[in-house]
Amino acid sequence: MKEYFYKKQYKYLYLGSISYNLANALIQIFGTVMLYKSGIPIWLILLIYGLRFGITGFCTPLFVTISAKFGIAKCILVSNIFNIISTYMMLNETNLYKNIIIFILVMGFMGLSNPSSDALSSKYVYTNHRGRYNSFINITKILGSAIASIFVAWGVISNNNVILFIVISIFFLLHYIFIKQIDYKPENKQNAFKESMKYIFTTKSKYKIIYALRTNHIIERQFVPLYLYIVLDDFLAFSSITVLSLILQAVIIILIGKYSDKNISKSNTLVSIIKAIITGIFLLAKDNITISFNKILNDNFEKVYETSIQTSIQNIIKESKENNELLSAIGQMSLCFTEVIVFGFLALISKFIGENIFILIFILSIISSILININIKNHTSKEN
C-alpha cells in the first residue's frame, strides 16, 4: 500500500482533493438548498444550473489553452477565484435575485478547472493503481465534505457567515498551492476550441456518450439534498443526516477500488444494478424515515459508483491515441452541453408540475445507470 502514499504526485493529489472538498461543500452539497432557502423556486434553480453548465461547456476549451501556456494549476487558481466569489454571493443571499445574471456567470466560470482531475490522473496514476487511487481520492472527498458540512451547518444556523467565508476561501487557495507542486504544462499544438467542437460533433465515441449520460447522475446528486430538505422542512435535521451519511461512506469504497482494479467490467455491472435500485426507492418511498435512510444509502453508494465509473473513464482516456488533456476537456464539454438541454427541459416541466419534478429526475438517473453500463461493457469488449 505504501506506493499510494509515498509517491509525491499521489500525496499532492490527495491533499488537493481534501482541500477542495473542504472548500466546496457549501456549493456542492448545500448549493440547491441555499438557493431554495433564499426563496428561489425549483424551476429557476434548475434553469440557473442549466445556464451555469452551458457557460462551463463553452469555456472548458480554455482549460487546454491556459494550461498549455501557464500550467494546470493556473486553471485551478482562476476557477477557485470564481468559486470564492460564488460562495460570497450564496452566503450573502439577500442580493441573489438582484445579481442573478452575475451569479450564473460566476458559477459557469467555476468549471474552468473541471478537466484537471482526469488530466492529472491520466498523467500520474498507473493503470493498475487507478481503482484504488480513485478509492483514496473519494475517501479524501468524503473526509473533506464531512468536516466541511459540520462547519457549514454551524455557520448557516448560527449566522457566522464571515468566519465561514474566510475558512472556505483559505481551503480554495490551499487546493491551488498543493496542485502547484505537481503542476505541468500540457503540449498543445491545436486550436483547442476548434478541435474539441469538431470532436464533439463529428467523432463517434463511447467516451463522449458515457459523459453525456452522466448528466442525469450529476442532476440527481445536485437535487437529492434539496428533495430531502423539502421533505424534512428542517435545516438542522437535513444537516445531521448529511453529515452522518458522509461519515459512513468511507468503508465500502476501499473494497470497490480493489475490485475495480481486478475486474472493471463486473464491477461496473454490479454497482450499476445497485445504483438503479437505490434511486428507484426514492420513487416509491413516502415517509420521512425511509427517505432519510435511503438518502444515506444513496450517498454512500454514490461514491462507490463514482469510483467504478471514473476508473473506467480514466482508463479510456489513458488508452486513447488522442491528447489526454483535450479528451478530458471534451468529456466535460459533452457533459455540460447535455446538461443545458436536460436542465432546460426539467426547468420547463417543473414550471407546471412543481415538486413532482423529482420523480422525473430519479427516472432519468436510473435510465442513465443502465445505458452507461452497456456502453462501458461494449467499449471493454472491443478493447479485448
Side-chain angles (χ1 to χ4, degrees), residues 73-113:
K74 283 294 188 296
C75 288
I76 288 172
L77 177 61
V78 174
S79 174
N80 283 355
I81 289 171
F82 282 109
N83 271 299
I84 290 169
I85 296 170
S86 180
T87 298
Y88 173 78
M89 295 183 75
M90 201 170 280
L91 290 173
N92 189 22
E93 57 190 39
T94 53
N95 290 323
L96 266 181
Y97 258 123
K98 190 192 300 183
N99 300 304
I100 197 76
I101 302 299
I102 296 173
F103 180 69
I104 292 169
L105 287 170
V106 168
M107 287 190 77
F109 283 107
M110 280 163 36
L112 178 64
S113 65

Side-chain angles (χ1 to χ4, degrees), residues 54-156:
I55 295 167
T56 297
F58 279 108
C59 78
T60 294
L62 289 174
F63 166 80
V64 180
T65 304
I66 294 173
S67 63
K69 194 168 185 179
F70 302 104
I72 284 179
K74 283 294 188 296
C75 288
I76 288 172
L77 177 61
V78 174
S79 174
N80 283 355
I81 289 171
F82 282 109
N83 271 299
I84 290 169
I85 296 170
S86 180
T87 298
Y88 173 78
M89 295 183 75
M90 201 170 280
L91 290 173
N92 189 22
E93 57 190 39
T94 53
N95 290 323
L96 266 181
Y97 258 123
K98 190 192 300 183
N99 300 304
I100 197 76
I101 302 299
I102 296 173
F103 180 69
I104 292 169
L105 287 170
V106 168
M107 287 190 77
F109 283 107
M110 280 163 36
L112 178 64
S113 65
N114 281 359
S116 63
S117 178
D118 285 339
L120 288 165
S121 170
S122 297
K123 180 173 179 63
Y124 291 124
V125 181
Y126 300 131
T127 299
N128 62 332
H129 286 179
R130 204 171 299 282
R132 279 162 287 187
Y133 163 80
N134 281 320
S135 289
F136 290 132
I137 280 290
N138 276 315
I139 288 169
T140 63
K141 287 181 181 179
I142 292 163
L143 291 173
S145 298
I147 295 167
S149 295
I150 296 170
F151 187 68
V152 168
W154 167 80
V156 173

Side-chain angles (χ1 to χ4, degrees), residues 49-333:
Y49 273 79
L51 293 172
R52 167 221 173 156
F53 285 116
I55 295 167
T56 297
F58 279 108
C59 78
T60 294
L62 289 174
F63 166 80
V64 180
T65 304
I66 294 173
S67 63
K69 194 168 185 179
F70 302 104
I72 284 179
K74 283 294 188 296
C75 288
I76 288 172
L77 177 61
V78 174
S79 174
N80 283 355
I81 289 171
F82 282 109
N83 271 299
I84 290 169
I85 296 170
S86 180
T87 298
Y88 173 78
M89 295 183 75
M90 201 170 280
L91 290 173
N92 189 22
E93 57 190 39
T94 53
N95 290 323
L96 266 181
Y97 258 123
K98 190 192 300 183
N99 300 304
I100 197 76
I101 302 299
I102 296 173
F103 180 69
I104 292 169
L105 287 170
V106 168
M107 287 190 77
F109 283 107
M110 280 163 36
L112 178 64
S113 65
N114 281 359
S116 63
S117 178
D118 285 339
L120 288 165
S121 170
S122 297
K123 180 173 179 63
Y124 291 124
V125 181
Y126 300 131
T127 299
N128 62 332
H129 286 179
R130 204 171 299 282
R132 279 162 287 187
Y133 163 80
N134 281 320
S135 289
F136 290 132
I137 280 290
N138 276 315
I139 288 169
T140 63
K141 287 181 181 179
I142 292 163
L143 291 173
S145 298
I147 295 167
S149 295
I150 296 170
F151 187 68
V152 168
W154 167 80
V156 173
I157 292 169
S158 61
N159 202 30
N160 281 299
N161 289 352
V162 175
I163 297 173
L164 185 57
F165 174 72
I166 291 171
V167 173
I168 287 172
S169 299
I170 289 170
F171 279 106
F172 272 129
L173 294 175
L174 282 173
H175 175 223
Y176 160 72
I177 291 169
F178 288 131
I179 299 303
K180 180 67 178 172
Q181 308 310 307
I182 53 172
D183 194 19
Y184 74 98
K185 295 179 182 179
E187 185 179 355
N188 179 37
K189 298 178 181 178
Q190 304 164 307
N191 181 315
F193 186 81
K194 182 180 177 181
E195 288 301 316
S196 56
M197 294 301 288
K198 180 182 175 182
Y199 190 100
I200 284 174
F201 289 110
T202 64
T203 306
K204 293 181 180 180
S205 168
K206 296 289 182 188
Y207 169 75
K208 190 172 61 176
I209 295 170
I210 291 165
Y211 252 105
L213 287 168
R214 291 185 73 212
T215 290
N216 295 314
H217 291 152
I218 303 295
I219 294 172
E220 181 193 6
R221 186 190 307 159
Q222 298 280 356
F223 280 82
V224 162
L226 179 57
Y227 177 67
L228 179 66
Y229 175 73
I230 290 171
V231 168
L232 296 176
D233 196 25
D234 183 329
F235 189 79
L236 179 58
F238 162 75
S239 301
S240 300
I241 290 170
T242 298
V243 171
L244 175 63
S245 170
L246 287 163
I247 290 171
L248 293 174
Q249 283 179 31
V251 181
I252 197 170
I253 289 182
I254 299 171
L255 300 176
I256 200 66
K258 191 172 183 180
Y259 186 44
S260 293
D261 285 336
K262 288 183 176 180
N263 195 322
I264 188 64
S265 182
K266 287 184 179 179
S267 168
N268 284 331
T269 300
L270 176 63
V271 298
S272 297
I273 291 169
I274 299 173
K275 167 74 176 164
I277 291 171
I278 292 172
T279 304
I281 293 173
F282 281 122
L283 290 170
L284 304 173
K286 302 299 179 185
D287 62 281
N288 292 4
I289 294 175
T290 304
I291 292 171
S292 298
F293 176 78
N294 199 56
K295 168 66 165 62
I296 293 173
L297 189 64
N298 182 65
D299 286 351
N300 274 268
F301 200 76
E302 177 66 35
K303 290 294 188 294
V304 176
Y305 183 81
E306 188 71 16
T307 297
S308 183
I309 299 303
Q310 198 65 28
T311 299
S312 293
I313 288 172
Q314 289 168 3
N315 283 341
I316 292 172
I317 294 175
K318 190 74 174 179
E319 293 159 6
S320 174
K321 296 177 182 178
E322 304 284 346
N323 176 289
N324 284 357
E325 290 74 28
L326 183 65
L327 204 57
S328 298
I330 288 164
Q332 293 296 329
M333 291 174 72

Side-chain angles (χ1 to χ4, degrees), residues 36 40-46 223-224 226-233 282-283 286 288 291 346-362:
Y36 187 79
I40 298 177
I42 295 174
W43 72 267
L44 185 52
I45 297 173
L46 285 160
F223 280 82
V224 162
L226 179 57
Y227 177 67
L228 179 66
Y229 175 73
I230 290 171
V231 168
L232 296 176
D233 196 25
F282 281 122
L283 290 170
K286 302 299 179 185
N288 292 4
I291 292 171
L346 291 173
L348 178 64
I349 299 298
S350 177
K351 187 74 174 169
F352 299 101
I353 66 175
E355 293 177 9
N356 287 327
I357 195 65
F358 291 107
I359 296 172
L360 185 54
I361 289 173
F362 298 140

